[in-house]
Amino acid sequence: MNNLGTDVVVAGAGPTGLMLAHELALAGIDVVVLERLHERTGLSKALNLQPRTAEILQLRGLLDGAEERSFATVRDGHFAMIPVGYDGWDTRFPFQLGIPQAQVEEYLEERLAAQGTKVIRGAEVIDFVQDKDSVSVRYRTDSGENVLYAKFLVGCDGARSVVRKGLGVDFPGVDGEGFGVVADVLFDRIPDGVRKQWRTMRNTGEPTGATTFKGLIPLGEPGLYRFVYGDRASRPADLRAAVSHDEVRHALLDSYGETAKVSEIRWASQFSDAARQAEHYRAGRVLLAGDAAHIHFPAGGQGLNLGVQDAMNLGWKLAATVRGWAGDDLLDTYEAERHPVGAQVLHNVAAQLGLTPRSHSSRALRAVFADLAALPEVSKHLSGMVSGLGIRYTTHGTAHPALGSRLTDEDVATEEGPLRPSTLFRDGAFVLLTTTPAHIDAARAHARSPRLTTQLVTSLPWPAAEAVLYRPDGYACWTARTPTR
């Protein structure tokens, strides 16, 4: 048994754990990622990056690499399979980026390795013990058991999280009533009427009966599609059971008829419409993020994105705490800010499931809702929920319309010419934009954290403001008003 030491242990090398590790390493934090699997699965799983996730990656200079691996740009989102647009939002990315989860994980792991941090694979967390100063994490590898001592442990280890169970944190919610199957299939002959490119959510999925549904999404490779089907009123005895390829073939035949000719089924898995959220995201020196903190039906394409946004919120706060630049009060804001966001996602997913056309009245309700969703104001509200663009954090102090809002990355004017603000966030520091040099001097003199980037501008997009301070995750946390004369 080996005794090693580090600042933070991250359990789980999915998108959430890798993004969190990236944020910590960027801040100079010593981080170890423990992953139970010996190798990445290579399974596509989640397929999209929402607009807010694209903005987050852009802040760190990660988006270009993700775009290189993407296979589609999708101009709209959906709510209960009803398309909703991003037109009303001030964002450089009014679209979803089609990219398999496997590619997101591979890219983030590569960037993490470039920072000098590697994932320890085949390392299964068994249990842990925490005291007021540290956490000892016991894990198993092929060569035996080890104990790793750290200042903090973060469970990013999925829906069946060992870390969450070890904490004894309640995971309240509802058991699933129905199920779905997701599979990647390669067609010799694509079914009649099916799109060959993914550019919109229209006609990619639809109800097929009172409680059943189906959908096909092209995955960029000729003939390769994501096939989703299921029944909201039928739950299999064992959701962990393997899905046979014969079952998938029969479902394709039932859904699309003899026009569908399949040559290969690359993988298939079941999921349910269970919804649960951890009662707390933090207990002492142990925290939860991603699916370890919340699970839900994959309606609206929110799951991976919710986890990555958890990681972005937690990363800079945990780094500041480890460095001693901030106390527990800052780290507590992770749960205070992200738990309501997770709850809202579970709420909107439940609403989407409520639009299942089970009866004459529910079909009428869905039709009326679809009409409402076509209205610009409603479409903006719904797309803001599923994309993360609508998130606004509560701030304290003088009220100003900028406070709590996300950086929209509108160019600002400087003496050297136009500047895209997102380029100032690459090293994960706070960013101060100001028209007055005095604010730069004051900020540098009073900053508790040395991680501060300042930029003198000739104008700001916000009214009556001569300075705006942004957190490392791109949300405005302080403003200085222009003095009245």
Side-chain angles (χ1 to χ4, degrees), residues 187-229:
F187 288 104
D188 276 337
R189 179 180 176 185
I190 298 169
D192 292 343
V194 173
R195 296 179 183 271
K196 293 182 174 60
Q197 290 184 314
W198 190 22
R199 294 289 181 265
T200 175
M201 292 305 304
R202 296 183 186 280
N203 302 321
T204 57
E206 60 181 332
T208 56
T211 58
T212 55
F213 58 90
K214 69 174 183 180
L216 277 177
I217 295 176
L219 298 184
E221 180 181 331
L224 185 63
Y225 280 75
R226 165 64 53 83
F227 177 42
V228 182
Y229 66 95

Side-chain angles (χ1 to χ4, degrees), residues 287-343:
L287 301 102
L288 303 171
D291 287 354
H294 38 68
I295 60 169
H296 57 82
F297 188 78
Q302 301 174 83
L304 179 153
N305 296 272
L306 182 60
V308 170
Q309 292 169 35
D310 283 348
M312 190 69 163
N313 186 286
L314 175 57
W316 68 273
K317 297 174 180 179
L318 186 52
T321 304
V322 170
R323 287 294 192 195
W325 300 331
D328 268 9
D329 54 343
L330 176 64
L331 195 53
D332 283 340
T333 67
Y334 165 63
E335 177 177 321
E337 291 184 342
R338 294 303 297 176
H339 197 282
V341 172

Side-chain angles (χ1 to χ4, degrees), residues 37 72 89 94 152 168 181 192 199 218 227 309 413 446 448:
L37 299 178
W89 290 101
F152 290 92
V181 170
D192 292 343
R199 294 289 181 265
F227 177 42
Q309 292 169 35
H446 295 94
R448 295 182 62 187

